[in-house]
Amino acid sequence: MKRIFFVALCLIFLSTGWCLGQAVDSQQITGVVTDSTGASIDQAEVTVTNEATRVTRTVHSNADGNYAVLNLPVGVYTIATVKQGFKKSIRSGVNVDVGGKPAVPVQLELGEVTESVSVKADEVLIQTTTAEIGGVITSTEATQIQLNGRNYVQLLTLQPGVSQTVASGFAIFGTYGVNGNSQSVNGIRTDSANYFIDGVDNKDNGGGGNNFVNISPDSLEQFRNVASSYDASYGGTSGATVSVAIKSGGHDFHGSAYEYIRNDAVQAYPFRALSSYGQTPVKTPLRYNDFGYTIGGPIWIPGVFNRNRDKLFFFAAQEFKRLRTSTVTNASVPTTYAIANAISSGPSTATGRALAATLLTVAPPPDQPTALAGNYRYQSLGNNNQSEYLVKINYNLNEKNQISGHFVHDNVLNVGNPTNYIIYDRTIPGLTSSLSWTHTFNPKTVNVATSSYSGNIINEGGNIRANPQFGSRAIN
C-alpha cells in the first residue's frame, strides 16, 4: 500500500513539474441523470465512447444524479446510460472541442433495460460550466475557406474582437517563421497571445512572437481562441490563448493529398504596377505551390495485435510550401563619386571597404562625373521554402491508461537582407514534441503526466553572396 501511495505521489509531482508553461486543454463531459419527472437518479452507469477510436470511459452518477467524465481527447462521442428499471439512453454525435466542457443532461424513461431510446445530438450545446469567451475553428473551416497564404492564423479574424495588422496572407509567413504577432485580440498588444499545439508551447518569445512550427490546416482537428475570462491554466501573457488540436488516427483509415497553386499568370495587376512611360506595366512575379498529404488509421497485425483496431492509432502528414514573390522597392543610388569616397574613407572596417570596392566600384564616364545617381526601382526578392513533418500516436492500454505523443518538425529557408547589396540564406528548424500519460485512479481522480520539448534555431549567414538584382559582381 505504501508503494502505491508513493508512486501516485511521484506521478502528481512530475505532472506538476512537466506542465509548467503549458495550457492544459482539459476536455470533459458533465451532466445530470434524471427521470421523466425531473427527479435525479443515482448510480446510473454512464459510458462515453469515442466514435473514431471506439475508446470507452465509464462512470456512475452520484446521489444528486451528477456525472463527470474527465480529461477526454478532442472528438465526437456517444453517451450510453443504463439503470435498472429504465430504458437504455443512447445519445450520439456529442462534440467535445478543444478545451470544451459540454453539459449533456440525460433523461431516462421507465421500461426494460433491454429497450433503448436513441437521440442524435444535432443541436449546439451551450457551455454552461465555464465563463470562457472564445470560439472554435474546425478542420472543415480551416481547409474549405479560401486562405491566400494557407496559414491557419489567418482564421483568427473570424472571431469577434480580432483585428489583423497585415494586408496579405503571405505577410504572415514573416522573417523568422509564421507570425503569431500580427493579430490583436480585444485591443491587446499583438505580441501578447499564447500559442499551443496539443497543450505544448508553440511561441518563440525571443524571436518576435513567431511560431516554432506552422501547423498545416490539413493536419489540425480544430483550434480554439480563448479571448477572455479563462482560468489559471492559461498563463504566460495577458493576451488571448490559441490552442490547436492535431488530428488523430481512428478505427478506419483516412487520408488526403492536395496541392494549392497561385501564379502571376492568373493574377491581376497590382495597384502600383512596375512601369514607365510608354511601357506595358509589369506584373509582380508570383509562384506559390503548397502541396502535401495526410494519412491516419489503426496500427494492427490481423489476428495477432490490436485485432479490433481499438488500441493503437497513428496520424502522419507532410507539407511543402514553395513561395517565389517580390515587392516593388525603391533604392537611392549614390553618385559614383560618393561611392568612391565611401570606399576610401568610409566608416566601415578595412575589410568592409575592400569588399565594397570589389562589388560596387564603377568608373563614371569622363564627361559625366555624377552619372549613375538617382532612384532605382526594382522588385526585391521574396523566396521562402517551408517543409513540415508530423507524426502523432495514440495508444489505449486499457480503460484506465492512455498514452499519446506527437512530433512536429518544420524547416524554413528564406533570403536574408533581400533589399541590401549583400544577401544570405536564413534557415530556421523548429519543432514541438510531447509525450502524455493519462491514468484514471477513479471517476473523481484523473492524473495527466506530460513531458514536452519545443524550440527552434535561427541560423543566419549561410551562402553569403552579392545581390544579383543590383548587377553586383560575385564575391571571390
Side-chain angles (χ1 to χ4, degrees), residues 155-184:
L155 294 169
L156 288 176
T157 54
L158 297 178
Q159 303 297 316
V162 180
S163 59
Q164 188 165 273
T165 60
V166 295
S168 168
F170 288 148
I172 297 180
F173 278 122
T175 306
Y176 298 99
V178 64
N179 281 335
N181 61 351
S182 55
Q183 294 79 27
S184 173

Side-chain angles (χ1 to χ4, degrees), residues 14 60 201 298 357:
L14 290 175
H60 290 82
D201 187 20

Side-chain angles (χ1 to χ4, degrees), residues 221-243:
E221 179 69 27
Q222 56 183 223
F223 71 92
R224 178 180 179 85
N225 172 38
V226 183
S228 60
S229 301
Y230 40 80
D231 59 40
S233 65
Y234 299 99
T237 63
S238 60
T241 295
V242 180
S243 297

Side-chain angles (χ1 to χ4, degrees), residues 393-413:
I393 299 292
N394 295 90
Y395 187 25
N396 179 37
L397 289 171
N398 49 53
E399 189 173 345
K400 290 184 176 294
N401 295 279
Q402 294 83 39
I403 296 175
S404 65
H406 79 262
F407 178 85
V408 184
H409 181 272
D410 276 17
N411 192 59
V412 178
L413 169 63

Side-chain angles (χ1 to χ4, degrees), residues 286-352:
L286 173 62
R287 303 288 188 278
Y288 181 53
N289 296 83
D290 181 350
F291 53 96
Y293 70 89
T294 67
I295 184 172
I299 300 175
W300 96 107
I301 302 175
V304 178
F305 172 72
N306 196 16
R307 299 178 182 180
N308 297 324
R309 296 188 295 178
D310 59 359
K311 290 288 186 182
L312 185 60
F313 310 94
F314 80 98
F315 178 81
Q318 284 185 285
E319 182 178 58
F320 305 93
K321 295 179 180 179
R322 300 294 181 261
L323 175 62
R324 300 292 182 269
T325 186
S326 60
T327 305
V328 176
T329 306
N330 290 320
S332 297
V333 180
T335 65
T336 51
Y337 172 79
I339 294 176
N341 186 60
I343 291 174
S344 62
S345 59
S348 179
T349 63
T351 302

